[in-house]
């Protein structure tokens, strides 16, 4: 029941596929980058600007305007440009469907939609890197006196925000494509071994998840702490020194432990998936003895067990099919042989005998018996001379063709060809009176 229920859910999800929802991606990019920009502005006003009076000379309003242009509007515009061929194709498809015409999904459209999440994440990261470059340029040319710790903090904030925005954009866009878009557009697109697809593996996703929920926030906390303590004499105030070391220890240990756990989890997920992918490729190549080791009790163990059951059934079905094919090939050979025999029977075996054999080869009527008949002997004049002058194949063809000229007349008069020997032909007439 569970398998049937899962199948029903799968078909229902396929029915929910709607490629037009790819139009949600540009607003998604806009909202994600706006949210990250809002968090960065709030963080700056709460933590950075009160401790950096010189930063006010950079004109925060101008900084926000340029940040919005680079980090929000530019990635959204790049997203529209990247997806414009898909939007145009969807409009043509809608017009064709309205007129009753259909069409296949172009490979370029399917591949562009498959690469959309990673491309949009790259656009977001590039926009925030432009913001970082703008901040560096303003800090270098503004003549401001900012402590080195605050400078590093001031410059690294948009870079960290860019990584967070890029990862959030990727995961959100991929979820939207998985649930609505890819089911309708990637049905006939080869995935494995396709060099035009930018595949992001499970391990890469887990590393990105570790960055967005662990390393980057912890890095921001550590950076904030040391920026706040940049002008403090830690030797004169041991409490702040211990606080800085504790924050550093927590950040480093949490980041390192998270990286180690992310690697362990990625291998525990990626290895079974890679084994199933390789086994599926071997199975598609005709290696029906392929099996996957069941080394877990979770969903991957159930998936490997199901693969092995399906591969076993497919192997048995293939073996049965091969056996049937061999039997059919033997039967076909016998049919061809019988057809060849039948053609010979049609030409030189009496019709009565042929019909009796075809009806029942074991019939008692085929036994020998005495009967008054009329016998006619035919031979070819000059056969001895012909046999000396002509090669054997040509002579046999000539005799066969010559005797074939009399077959219709003999059968029309009720005669049966009883025997052929060299140039001799023995004909028996059983119908009519003996005289």
């Amino acid at each position: 029941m569970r398998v049937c229920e899962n199948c029903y859910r799968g078909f229902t999800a396929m029915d929910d596929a709607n490629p037009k929802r790819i139009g949600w991606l540009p607003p998604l990019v806009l909202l994600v980058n706006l949210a990250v920009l809002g968090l960065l502005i709030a963080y700056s006003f709460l933590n950075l600007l009160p401790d950096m009076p010189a930063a006010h000379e950079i004109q925060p309003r101008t900084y926000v305007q340029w940040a919005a242009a680079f980090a929000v509007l530019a990635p959204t515009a790049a997203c529209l440009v990247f997806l414009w061929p898909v939007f145009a194709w969807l409009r043509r498809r809608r017009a064709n469907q309205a007129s009753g015409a259909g069409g296949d999904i172009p490979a370029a459209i399917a591949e562009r939609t498959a690469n959309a999440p990673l491309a949009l994440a790259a656009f977001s990261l590039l926009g925030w890197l432009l913001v970082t470059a703008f901040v560096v340029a303003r800090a270098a040319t503004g003549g401001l006196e900012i402590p080195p710790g605050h400078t590093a903090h001031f410059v690294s904030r948009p870079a960290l925000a860019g990584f967070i925005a890029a990862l959030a954009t990727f995961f959100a866009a991929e979820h939207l494509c998985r649930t609505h878009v890819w089911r309708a557009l990637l049905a006939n697109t080869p995935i494995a071994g396709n060099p035009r697809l930018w595949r992001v593996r499970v391990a890469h996703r887990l590393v990105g998840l570790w960055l967005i929920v662990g390393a980057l926030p912890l890095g921001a906390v550590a950076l904030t702490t040391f920026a706040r303590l940049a002008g403090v004499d830690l030797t004169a105030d041991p409490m702040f020194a211990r606080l800085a070391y504790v924050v550093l220890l927590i950040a480093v240990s949490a980041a390192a432990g998270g990286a180690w756990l992310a690697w362990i989890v990625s291998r525990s997920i990626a290895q079974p998936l890679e084994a199933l992918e390789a086994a599926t490729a071997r199975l598609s190549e005709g290696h029906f003895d392929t099996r996957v080791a069941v080394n877990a009790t979770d969903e991957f163990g159930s998936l490997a067990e199901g693969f092995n059951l399906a591969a076993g059934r497919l192997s048995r079905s293939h073996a049965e099919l091969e056996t049937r094919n061999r039997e059919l090939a033997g039967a076909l050979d016998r049919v061809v042989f019988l057809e060849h025999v039948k053609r010979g029977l049609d030409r030189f075996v009496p019709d009565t005998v042929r019909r009796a054999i075809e009806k029942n080869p074991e019939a008692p009527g085929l036994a020998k018996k005495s009967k008054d008949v009329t016998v006619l002997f035919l031979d070819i004049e000059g056969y001895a001379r012909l046999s000396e002058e002509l090669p054997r194949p040509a002579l046999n063809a000539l005799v066969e063709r010559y005797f074939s000229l009399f077959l219709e007349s003999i059968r029309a008069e009720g005669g049966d060809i009883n025997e052929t020997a060299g140039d001799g032909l023995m004909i028996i007439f059983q119908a009519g009176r003996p005289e």
Side-chain angles (χ1 to χ4, degrees):
M1 290 295 294
R2 183 174 296 177
V3 175
C4 295
E5 182 180 354
N6 291 336
C7 293
Y8 173 76
R9 290 177 180 175
F11 285 118
T12 303
M14 287 294 292
D15 294 337
D16 292 340
N18 187 1
K20 292 186 293 185
R21 292 186 181 178
I22 197 172
W24 293 0
L25 289 180
L28 176 66
V29 173
L30 180 68
L31 291 176
V32 169
N33 287 283
L34 270 178
V36 174
L37 179 61
L39 290 175
L40 182 63
I41 293 174
Y43 171 80
S44 299
F45 277 95
L46 291 175
N47 183 63
L48 185 64
L49 294 180
D51 298 325
M52 294 179 59
H56 289 278
E57 300 180 13
I58 302 181
Q59 298 177 354
R61 184 183 299 275
T62 303
Y63 169 76
V64 170
Q65 292 174 351
W66 281 101
F70 286 140
V72 180
L73 299 180
T76 305
C79 173
L80 288 171
V81 172
F82 181 82
L83 295 177
W84 190 258
V86 181
F87 297 153
W89 175 78
L90 287 174
R91 287 194 298 270
R92 293 194 301 270
R93 182 193 186 197
R94 192 181 306 114
N96 292 336
Q97 290 177 345
S99 61
D104 297 332
I105 301 172
I109 296 300
E111 292 162 0
R112 186 172 288 265
T113 57
N115 297 331
L118 194 58
L120 303 190
F123 295 152
S124 297
L125 179 59
L126 182 60
W128 282 99
L129 290 179
L130 290 175
V131 174
T132 305
F134 171 76
V135 172
V136 171
R138 294 280 293 183
T141 59
L144 304 179
E145 296 182 0
I146 303 177
H150 287 85
T151 302
H153 188 195
F154 191 71
V155 171
S156 61
R157 289 177 312 116
L160 291 176
F163 281 105
I164 294 175
L167 291 170
T169 300
F170 172 78
F171 285 117
E174 187 186 45
H175 176 72
L176 175 64
C177 290
R178 280 180 183 271
T179 53
H180 299 291
V181 180
W182 287 346
R183 293 171 179 170
L185 299 183
L186 296 184
N188 299 320
T189 302
I191 303 300
N194 191 340
R196 292 183 295 273
L197 295 184
W198 306 336
R199 299 183 63 187
V200 181
R201 297 188 175 275
V202 175
H204 303 154
R205 290 181 173 87
L206 289 175
V207 170
L209 185 63
W210 165 71
L211 286 173
I212 196 172
V213 302
L216 295 180
L218 288 172
V221 170
L223 190 62
T224 301
T225 302
F226 282 94
R228 299 280 294 181
L229 298 177
V232 178
D233 186 5
L234 298 180
T235 58
D237 197 339
M239 183 184 68
F240 284 111
R242 289 194 302 270
L243 177 62
Y245 295 144
V246 167
V247 171
L248 180 63
L249 177 62
I250 292 176
V252 172
S253 60
W260 178 73
L261 288 176
W263 182 82
I264 292 293
V265 174
S266 68
R267 298 313 302 160
S268 65
I269 295 176
Q271 284 180 346
L273 291 178
E274 291 171 357
L276 283 171
E277 184 180 13
T280 304
R282 285 181 52 82
L283 190 65
S284 64
E285 294 173 356
H287 301 283
F288 298 105
D289 58 342
T290 303
R291 298 294 184 273
V292 179
V294 181
N295 52 10
T297 58
D298 53 9
E299 293 83 354
F300 292 107
S302 301
L303 186 60
E305 184 182 18
F307 176 87
N308 292 337
L309 290 175
R313 292 173 182 173
L314 186 60
S315 178
R316 289 191 295 271
S317 300
H318 181 264
E320 294 175 358
L321 184 61
E322 288 290 332
T323 302
R324 295 289 179 84
N325 285 338
R326 287 192 294 268
E327 294 175 353
L328 289 175
L332 182 61
D333 292 339
R334 289 193 294 272
V335 169
V336 172
F337 173 74
L338 291 176
E339 287 291 333
H340 179 71
V341 172
K342 183 176 181 298
R343 287 194 297 269
L345 291 175
D346 289 341
R347 301 182 62 182
F348 297 107
V349 175
D351 290 342
T352 55
V353 178
R354 177 177 57 81
R355 287 192 295 269
I357 293 174
E358 291 178 352
K359 184 176 182 181
N360 185 4
E362 305 296 333
L366 296 177
K368 294 181 180 180
K369 60 183 177 179
S370 299
K371 187 176 182 180
D372 293 333
V373 296
T374 301
V375 181
L376 174 63
F377 292 96
L378 295 177
D379 61 358
I380 300 175
E381 183 179 358
Y383 179 77
R385 180 175 57 82
L386 290 175
S387 64
E388 294 176 356
E389 296 177 355
L390 298 177
R392 177 61 61 181
L395 181 62
N396 291 337
L398 179 62
V399 172
E400 183 178 346
R401 181 179 179 186
Y402 179 71
F403 284 158
S404 298
L405 298 175
F406 303 102
L407 293 179
E408 292 185 5
S409 300
I410 292 172
R411 290 174 177 172
E413 297 297 332
D416 294 324
I417 299 175
N418 182 69
E419 185 179 353
T420 60
D423 66 331
L425 189 64
M426 180 179 175
I427 307 165
I428 298 177
F429 294 90
Q430 302 183 53
R433 296 188 301 271
E435 63 273 14

